[in-house]
């Protein structure tokens, strides 16, 4: 981490550090220093599988209505709880970008409700690995549809879809 920071900061490049909330304490000192000196930011990584289930297909609304209702109810509280862990260690941090391997339209809804502006980690090119559910999404930044997390379109969410390959979503 320090080696990457040294290289990027040498050229004035700020970094968004993707981390789960439970890592905030371990990274707080370095991230605070780098935030003050170079503009680095924490990027909250979320694991929604305990709430959303592994690989839940939310495209069939009739079969997944109960799951969707549970997620709409629980995800905002879960996200706020995770963000509070980060904020306890880094009071200066603000909820701008979250990341997640598993994404769905309910996560977009929950991120908007909790004050986030973007969802990082879209992998448009991957079919067989972690990006399988993102496959087909636009190549760059986009506003995902409220109905399908991996497609742009109407009605568009207010959350920006951020590609996995981007280094600093705010810059």
């Amino acid at each position: 981490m320090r080696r990457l920071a040294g290289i990027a900061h040498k050229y004035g490049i700020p970094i968004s550090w993707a981390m789960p909330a439970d890592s905030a304490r371990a990274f707080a000192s370095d991230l605070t220093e780098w935030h003050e000196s170079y503009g680095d930011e924490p990027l909250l990584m979320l694991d929604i599988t305990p709430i959303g289930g592994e690989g839940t297909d939310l495209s069939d609304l009739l079969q997944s209505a109960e799951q969707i209702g549970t997620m709409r109810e629980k995800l905002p509280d879960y996200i706020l709880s995770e963000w509070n862990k980060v904020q306890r260690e880094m009071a200066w941090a603000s909820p701008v970008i979250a990341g997640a391997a598993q994404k769905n339209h309910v996560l977009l809804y929950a991120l908007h409700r909790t004050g986030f502006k973007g969802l990082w980690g879209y992998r448009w090119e991957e079919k067989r690995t972690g990006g399988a559910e993102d496959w087909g999404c636009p190549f760059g930044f986009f506003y995902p549809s409220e109905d399908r997390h991996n497609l742009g379109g109407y009605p568009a969410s207010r959350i920006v879809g951020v590609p996995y390959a981007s280094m600093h979503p705010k810059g």
Side-chain angles (χ1 to χ4, degrees):
M1 185 171 154
R2 288 187 180 115
R3 185 174 294 169
L4 176 59
I7 293 168
H9 296 154
K10 177 179 176 180
Y11 296 100
I13 301 170
I15 301 173
S16 290
W17 296 96
M19 64 178 186
D22 293 335
S23 298
R25 177 174 284 166
F27 298 140
S29 177
D30 287 334
L31 286 181
T32 298
E33 177 186 333
W34 297 334
H35 172 75
E36 292 169 358
S37 300
Y38 306 101
D40 290 16
E41 297 285 339
L43 184 154
L44 176 63
M45 287 302 295
L46 298 167
D47 178 9
I48 65 168
T49 54
I51 297 168
E54 184 70 41
T56 303
D57 179 13
L58 299 181
S59 62
D60 184 345
L61 296 180
L62 293 175
Q63 291 183 347
S64 60
E66 184 176 310
Q67 187 67 28
I68 290 170
T70 299
M71 289 173 53
R72 283 180 72 91
E73 180 182 315
K74 293 183 177 183
L75 271 178
D77 290 339
Y78 167 71
I79 293 168
L80 287 175
S81 169
E82 293 297 285
W83 183 253
N84 287 337
K85 292 176 188 177
V86 172
Q87 203 132 58
R88 276 195 296 273
E89 303 301 327
M90 295 173 259
W92 51 267
S94 58
V96 177
I97 306 289
Q102 183 182 355
K103 300 171 207 63
N104 59 48
H105 67 285
V106 183
L107 177 59
L108 294 171
Y109 159 84
L111 288 171
H112 175 69
R113 292 259 334 255
T114 55
F116 283 83
K117 305 293 183 216
L119 177 57
W120 174 79
Y122 278 93
R123 298 173 183 238
W124 67 273
E125 74 282 17
E126 294 186 33
K127 291 184 184 178
R128 288 181 277 191
T129 60
E133 60 194 24
D134 299 342
W135 190 79
C137 70
F139 174 72
F141 293 78
F142 71 106
Y143 284 98
S145 165
E146 287 182 1
D147 299 326
R148 295 289 299 170
H149 78 280
N150 63 330
L151 300 174
Y154 183 81
S157 72
R158 295 183 189 165
I159 299 296
V160 176
V162 181
Y164 178 81
S166 63
M167 194 166 166
H168 192 270
K170 287 181 69 177

